[in-house]
Amino acid sequence: MKYLSSIIVIIVFLITIVLMIKKVIIPIIRDIKNYKKLSEQEKEKMKMLSFIFLAPIILLFLDYFNIFSKFFPKYFNLSREYDWLSFIGTYSGAIVSAILLIFITEKDRDENTSVLRASQRPYLDISYMKISENFFKDNKSKITVFEHGKPIEKKLRKNEYLTLCIKNTGASVAIIDTNKTKIKLQYKTKEKIEEVELTFNFSINRLSIRSGEEIYIKFIKDELYKNGKLSSDSKILSSSVYYKDLFNKNYYDECELKDTLIVLHDNEELE
């Protein structure tokens, strides 16, 4: 019975070692290579796992070489008084329990975070519009409007504007990357159709749109207009809007104008 018990302990120990190598040691080695890139939480977890694994090895090493007796003359090897196999079996069981607890807790936290992110996800509704100047005047205090173009182009009186409308119908703030977002315009000059790709080109790098908020971006480029009205050949051909949520999760929306406005990518996540 004693031998059977020892064999079971050895088997448990070997299984634990295999699991530790696969689930702990290999990830730790990988994390050590990228230690500086880890978050503080990941660094603390790695330190804790390293201590759990190294503690019995250090203790066994000290006992094997009888180092304790050099500092404590009356000390005898632990192996004379205690059963190392029993100790290793008990400690291995504790390690397995600790590892399972860590990973289960981490999994639950990740799942809860995913649920929270999904419930707080922004969602942009994008449209290309021709809007009269009277609308902007009448709703000046109610809406957010940006003008895209050179200051000198504002001097040309316009009765209507080619406008990109972005509305956040999601549950949280959408933070738009104004430098990465692209807009492609079409207009006619001297009987020739021209296309130009633009960024928002604002003085700010981030544009925040609250839940339920709507912003209007008027394109005031002179070539788009004739006699103060939008030319028939002037239009927004496509747009790629890049934004993130409060959890720094990145998204993008891509639309293209054919016969109608086609959504190519809608609230798509970016890694």
Side-chain angles (χ1 to χ4, degrees):
M1 183 65 67
K2 183 177 181 180
Y3 291 110
L4 180 60
S5 176
S6 298
I7 292 172
I8 292 174
V9 170
I10 292 173
I11 292 174
V12 171
F13 177 71
L14 292 175
I15 293 174
T16 302
I17 292 298
V18 172
L19 289 173
M20 287 179 62
I21 292 173
K22 185 177 180 181
K23 298 294 185 180
V24 179
I25 304 303
I26 293 176
I28 286 176
I29 293 173
R30 185 168 55 245
D31 289 342
I32 288 174
K33 294 179 180 179
N34 302 295
Y35 185 79
K36 292 183 178 180
K37 299 179 182 179
L38 297 177
S39 65
E40 290 301 321
Q41 186 176 12
E42 290 294 324
K43 289 179 180 178
E44 290 299 323
K45 184 178 74 173
M46 192 175 74
K47 291 176 182 177
M48 180 175 61
L49 291 174
S50 299
F51 176 78
I52 291 174
F53 176 71
L54 293 175
I57 296 177
I58 295 172
L59 185 60
L60 180 61
F61 174 83
L62 294 173
D63 181 65
Y64 181 81
F65 290 100
N66 201 19
I67 294 175
F68 287 115
S69 63
K70 297 182 184 304
F71 299 96
F72 307 99
K74 295 183 178 181
Y75 175 85
F76 294 96
N77 287 354
L78 283 175
S79 56
R80 295 180 182 177
E81 300 292 337
Y82 302 101
D83 185 354
W84 267 107
L85 289 177
S86 298
F87 170 76
I88 291 173
T90 303
Y91 195 87
S92 299
I95 290 175
V96 172
S97 299
I99 292 172
L100 289 175
L101 180 62
I102 290 171
F103 283 100
I104 290 173
T105 302
E106 190 173 69
K107 183 179 178 182
D108 288 342
R109 187 184 67 247
D110 291 341
E111 288 178 353
N112 292 335
T113 301
S114 297
V115 172
L116 180 60
R117 282 182 173 177
S119 66
Q120 295 297 313
R121 186 169 181 156
Y123 187 89
L124 299 186
D125 184 10
I126 297 173
S127 56
Y128 307 161
M129 305 175 70
K130 179 174 71 173
I131 302 179
S132 69
E133 172 63 10
N134 289 333
F135 171 83
F136 292 115
K137 288 181 178 179
D138 294 341
N139 296 278
K140 186 176 181 180
S141 61
K142 302 177 183 177
I143 60 177
T144 303
V145 182
F146 296 90
E147 291 187 335
H148 188 287
K150 300 176 182 177
I152 194 172
E153 292 173 322
K154 297 179 181 180
K155 295 180 180 180
L156 177 64
R157 183 176 178 275
K158 301 174 180 67
N159 299 317
E160 56 192 19
Y161 290 92
L162 180 62
T163 307
L164 176 71
C165 179
I166 304 176
K167 183 175 182 178
N168 182 10
T169 58
S172 67
V173 173
I175 306 171
I176 296 178
D177 188 333
T178 60
N179 293 320
K180 195 173 181 181
T181 295
K182 304 289 184 182
I183 311 295
K184 183 180 285 187
L185 301 180
Q186 173 186 292
Y187 54 87
K188 189 174 183 180
T189 58
K190 298 180 180 179
E191 306 303 320
K192 182 181 178 182
I193 299 295
E194 301 280 355
E195 293 182 6
V196 59
E197 187 175 72
L198 310 167
T199 64
F200 278 165
N201 196 29
F202 297 151
S203 58
I204 53 176
N205 296 324
R206 296 289 186 270
L207 175 62
S208 298
I209 307 178
R210 298 187 303 272
S211 176
E213 185 180 12
E214 192 170 16
I215 67 168
Y216 299 84
I217 301 168
K218 302 190 299 184
F219 295 96
I220 60 175
K221 189 175 182 65
D222 287 344
E223 288 83 354
L224 295 168
Y225 304 92
K226 185 176 182 181
N227 297 325
K229 292 189 176 183
L230 187 67
S231 300
S232 59
D233 295 308
S234 299
K235 60 185 71 175
I236 301 173
L237 294 178
S238 64
S239 62
S240 299
V241 181
Y242 292 82
Y243 56 103
K244 66 180 180 179
D245 59 19
L246 296 176
F247 298 97
N248 282 323
K249 190 72 175 177
N250 295 296
Y251 310 88
Y252 82 108
D253 286 15
E254 185 175 359
C255 301
E256 185 175 347
L257 182 64
K258 295 295 185 181
D259 294 331
T260 58
L261 185 62
I262 299 173
V263 179
L264 303 177
H265 298 279
D266 187 17
N267 197 228
E268 190 164 321
E269 292 187 17
L270 289 170
E271 296 298 332

